[in-house]
Amino acid sequence: MSNKWIGRLGKLHQFRGVPYVEEYSDGDVCCLLCDTGFMNNSQRKAHFHGSKHEKNYNQVRAAERDEELRRDVFLEVDNHLKESRKRNRLEHLDVTTRWSRNMRPRISALMLPAWRLQMHSRILEVMETEQGIAVTPIQDKIEVITKLLTKYEEMEITSLLEQALWKARILNDGLFESVQDVRNYVALEEDFDSKAFLNQMKIICGSEVVIPKVINFLGW
């Protein structure tokens, strides 16, 4: 992300070259990060100094920092492999190399950054095992880490299934088209408690019955 990006944009020339701002021919601009539509001079100043834009910007920056950390871990692993080959390490290096490469797509698919970073760190620990160690302990470590990744994958799948059942229950009656509609409904009915409604839908969505059966079917 460009270092020019702010939350403090104001003058028109400041928008040029910023990848998240679209400039229109009449001088209006559009914040692609917040999907604002085109804004005139006063509107853009208010937007780019506002809390909504700052929140969206900070979320994007946090995601980018996670991606940078992930790339750094991959780079460190690759550099370590290159140096290891030069020192002609034991045969377990070939095993761990193939294993780590096979693990990467699965790790990248995890949605939680903390889990991704933990898995990269655990793999790096295996890759840095001291020269001369027996192959069996390495295989034991690989098995432990692989089981941990499988556990994370299963937790995410069950969480997504629970979210899907919950959302389906909310939309089932046709009154709402999205969860956001539920949160906005208080504008039409002052006494409506969106939090209580959403919690009630989570209780009666059937996840406590469906998810254990799915887990049992999959043999987890």
Side-chain angles (χ1 to χ4, degrees):
M1 178 178 286
S2 171
N3 289 331
K4 294 171 156 189
W5 188 258
I6 35 351
R8 296 294 176 268
L9 285 175
K11 296 181 179 179
L12 185 59
H13 68 83
Q14 291 179 288
F15 298 103
R16 291 168 185 158
V18 177
Y20 314 102
V21 177
E22 183 176 351
E23 184 181 348
Y24 205 55
S25 58
D26 63 0
D28 287 353
V29 298
C30 172
C31 176
L32 303 178
L33 189 64
C34 304
D35 194 22
T36 60
F38 288 104
M39 301 177 289
N40 59 29
N41 179 55
S42 60
Q43 290 171 327
R44 69 172 180 257
K45 286 183 178 179
H47 173 73
F48 288 112
H49 286 77
S51 59
K52 176 184 177 182
H53 170 72
E54 184 176 1
K55 178 181 179 181
N56 289 340
Y57 172 69
N58 288 337
Q59 288 176 342
V60 172
R61 285 295 297 153
E64 287 185 336
R65 284 192 293 270
D66 172 62
E67 183 65 20
E68 290 169 1
L69 285 172
R70 188 176 69 86
R71 287 198 300 266
D72 289 343
V73 171
F74 279 153
L75 181 61
E76 188 174 354
V77 171
D78 288 337
N79 289 338
H80 183 77
L81 287 173
K82 291 176 183 178
E83 292 300 320
S84 297
R85 292 189 186 100
K86 291 178 182 179
R87 296 193 301 267
N88 192 26
R89 295 184 65 179
L90 291 176
E91 65 180 39
H92 77 257
L93 181 61
D94 290 332
V95 175
T96 55
T97 299
R98 292 193 299 270
W99 168 72
S100 66
R101 288 176 177 170
N102 291 334
M103 293 281 277
R104 287 183 186 181
R106 294 174 62 186
I107 295 173
S108 297
L110 292 174
M111 291 181 291
L112 286 181
W115 287 358
R116 291 199 299 268
L117 290 176
Q118 183 181 11
M119 294 307 305
H120 293 318
S121 177
R122 296 290 294 273
I123 288 177
L124 190 58
E125 289 177 6
V126 173
M127 304 304 296
E128 290 179 341
T129 301
E130 292 295 329
Q131 183 174 355
I133 194 170
V135 175
T136 301
I138 294 296
Q139 293 175 332
D140 291 342
K141 288 185 177 181
I142 287 176
E143 183 178 354
V144 169
I145 295 173
T146 302
K147 286 182 178 179
L148 178 60
L149 176 58
T150 300
K151 176 183 176 181
Y152 286 159
E153 291 172 331
E154 292 173 353
M155 290 172 66
E156 288 198 342
I157 290 172
T158 54
S159 177
L160 287 172
L161 178 56
E162 181 181 25
Q163 289 290 323
L165 291 169
W166 177 53
K167 186 174 181 180
R169 186 63 186 85
I170 292 170
L171 308 183
N172 185 53
D173 295 332
L175 179 60
F176 303 107
E177 295 183 356
S178 68
V179 175
Q180 189 59 46
D181 284 351
V182 177
R183 297 190 175 101
N184 295 338
Y185 193 71
V186 68
L188 299 177
E189 189 174 321
E190 188 174 336
D191 294 335
F192 180 73
D193 188 337
S194 61
K195 290 184 179 180
F197 177 82
L198 292 174
N199 287 335
Q200 179 66 17
M201 293 301 102
K202 186 168 291 188
I203 293 172
I204 66 175
C205 70
S207 61
E208 292 184 357
V209 175
V210 174
I211 291 178
K213 291 184 177 180
V214 171
I215 292 175
N216 183 60
F217 175 77
L218 295 175
W220 290 352

